[in-house]
Amino acid sequence: MKLSEELLNNLIDITSNSAIACYPYIGKNEKILADKAATDVMRDQLNNLNINGKVVIGEGELDEAPMLYIGEILGNGNGPQIDIAVDPVEGTNFVAKNLPGAMSVLAVAERGNLLNAPETYMDKIATGSHIPKGTLDIDYTVEQNINIYSEITKKKNSEITVCILERPRHYEIINELKKLNVNIKFITDGDVSGALLVSDKKFNVDIFMGIGGGPEGVIAASALDTLNCNMQGRFLFETAEDKNRAFHMGIKDLNKKYEINEIVKGESIFCATGITSGDLMKGVVKENDKFITETIITHNKSELKLVKKEVSLT
Ligand code: VTB
């Protein structure tokens, strides 16, 4: 095991502190300030670690983002070579409007093991570990996927729930699901959390599908992989410029359908602290002279662990 327990604990501290940095902005309608507060803390603290880190999923690219851009080198250089995916605030709208489900997220893997994802969309499908790998497929119709799922699980359509981002681009899928009498869990943002809902029966989500952010897809895959779940993804490019940029990031086949093990390889850690309370964990709570945070962490085929932390106000 190359990713150490020490690194794991450091990551919990960092996402906790970046979630706390966001706390003053909850419900203030200031997405950019919230994101900056969390990003600054995450960046500073990652830079203090004994790692030779490289951001592969970041807050934009060098020319457009002052912090945590793709390709940025982090850490003091004295430690393992790792790839880092950062999402200091997953669900900036949730923080701005004080809605459930915002979290601060980091994922790491050994160097070269996390797909470099461009800032573009990704078509995704994910299921839990009870479904054999390669069973559902983004290239099948909605009906085919539902039929296969129903056959394997012996669930009627009316007992199946699909989670999907509520967007006009999904109207066709949504109509199809309605026709099939499948239940829908709509999410307005935050499709990292949405995808993770397939990881445990208690969340009552059978399948996650639809088009969301590519970087969010890679981050979700890093958690789903350690939990033995399934995911497929395919980048979608709107403009020639998008395609060109992706090509230069090393994506040679722009139509490639990625299996989860091509998105994340080997050992990985996924670490997310709640900013506002959601399905996965509670948000930051301020109590007298301390903050209380909840973090979920996965590592190397372990269970999804929930860690509570108390951080004193200084
Ligand atoms: C999703 C969601 C994000 O972007 O990836 C979504 O997880 C996709 O983009 O929280 P659109 O909003 O354009 O559909 C977010 O909502 C925001 O980054």
Side-chain angles (χ1 to χ4, degrees):
M1 204 192 304
K2 301 216 179 94
L3 302 176
S4 66
E5 198 68 20
E6 183 194 348
L7 178 61
L8 210 92
N9 290 325
N10 287 331
L11 296 183
I12 296 171
D13 287 344
I14 296 176
T15 55
S16 257
N17 290 331
S18 81
I20 289 169
C22 246
Y23 181 86
Y25 297 101
I26 296 175
K28 301 280 165 53
N29 221 359
E30 293 281 6
K31 318 205 276 196
I32 294 174
L33 290 181
D35 197 38
K36 182 171 175 0
T39 306
D40 284 350
V41 166
M42 191 173 267
R43 181 176 198 266
D44 282 356
Q45 300 198 353
L46 281 167
N47 264 331
N48 285 334
L49 296 187
N50 292 325
I51 53 165
N52 180 334
K54 184 174 150 205
V55 177
V56 295
I57 304 283
E59 297 273 280
E61 281 146 52
L62 179 55
D63 50 345
E64 61 201 35
M67 293 161 293
L68 288 172
Y69 56 86
I70 298 168
E72 185 170 348
I73 301 298
L74 293 171
N76 62 14
N78 304 319
Q81 292 211 333
I82 56 174
D83 283 347
I84 308 178
V86 303
D87 198 353
V89 185
E90 164 63 355
T92 45
N93 282 328
F94 296 155
V95 177
K97 313 268 182 226
N98 193 1
L99 293 171
M103 57 191 195
S104 184
V105 187
L106 275 172
V108 307
E110 287 175 69
R111 179 67 46 87
N113 281 358
L114 212 51
L115 188 65
N116 287 33
E119 293 271 327
T120 188
Y121 286 110
M122 184 191 259
D123 196 4
K124 316 168 192 179
I125 191 161
T127 49
S129 57
H130 58 293
I131 300 299
K133 290 219 181 303
T135 320
L136 303 195
D137 199 299
I138 37 179
D139 286 334
Y140 295 163
T141 63
V142 173
E143 186 172 11
Q144 278 173 317
N145 277 322
I146 296 297
N147 287 344
I148 295 169
Y149 189 88
S150 154
E151 204 165 296
I152 292 173
T153 56
K154 307 285 172 242
K155 279 185 166 187
K156 295 186 202 122
N157 285 10
S158 60
E159 295 164 337
I160 297 173
T161 300
V162 169
C163 178
I164 191 162
L165 271 171
E166 190 169 19
R167 295 289 188 274
R169 61 178 177 265
H170 292 148
Y171 284 169
E172 233 173 87
I173 299 180
I174 291 165
N175 284 337
E176 193 63 25
L177 290 169
K178 279 195 203 155
K179 256 197 264 161
L180 293 166
N181 199 23
V182 168
N183 307 295
I184 306 176
K185 177 177 171 73
F186 288 104
I187 51 172
T188 58
D189 280 296
D191 76 340
V192 173
S193 305
L196 291 195
L197 296 180
V198 302
S199 67
D200 195 313
K201 284 204 166 89
K202 71 180 179 204
F203 301 126
N204 200 22
V205 168
D206 295 277
I207 306 170
F208 173 82
M209 62 169 75
I211 298 167
E216 285 86 350
V218 175
I219 289 176
S222 74
L224 291 173
D225 180 53
T226 61
L227 298 168
N228 265 323
C229 297
N230 309 295
M231 185 177 152
Q232 268 184 344
R234 177 185 278 130
F235 293 117
L236 300 168
F237 304 99
E238 278 170 358
T239 62
E241 198 194 330
D242 285 350
K243 289 185 185 168
N244 202 20
R245 205 187 304 146
F247 192 78
H248 283 105
M249 280 178 81
I251 309 220
K252 302 296 174 217
D253 176 1
L254 299 177
N255 291 316
K256 186 175 164 52
K257 178 166 64 179
Y258 289 89
E259 300 297 335
I260 192 162
N261 302 110
E262 296 173 296
I263 302 176
V264 53
K265 298 184 197 127
E267 229 182 300
S268 67
I269 300 174
F270 167 90
C271 181
T273 301
I275 301 171
T276 57
S277 294
D279 290 317
L280 298 168
M281 68 290 226
K282 285 194 183 141
V284 177
V285 174
K286 192 175 174 194
E287 219 175 62
N288 305 323
D289 56 347
K290 59 178 190 254
F291 287 106
I292 300 165
T293 59
E294 275 192 14
T295 301
I296 51 168
I297 184 140
T298 65
H299 176 219
N300 218 24
K301 310 292 173 204
S302 64
E303 301 275 292
L304 193 142
K305 265 197 290 184
L306 185 80
V307 182
K308 273 194 185 198
K309 251 188 101 62
E310 292 193 357
V311 180
S312 299
L313 278 169
T314 41

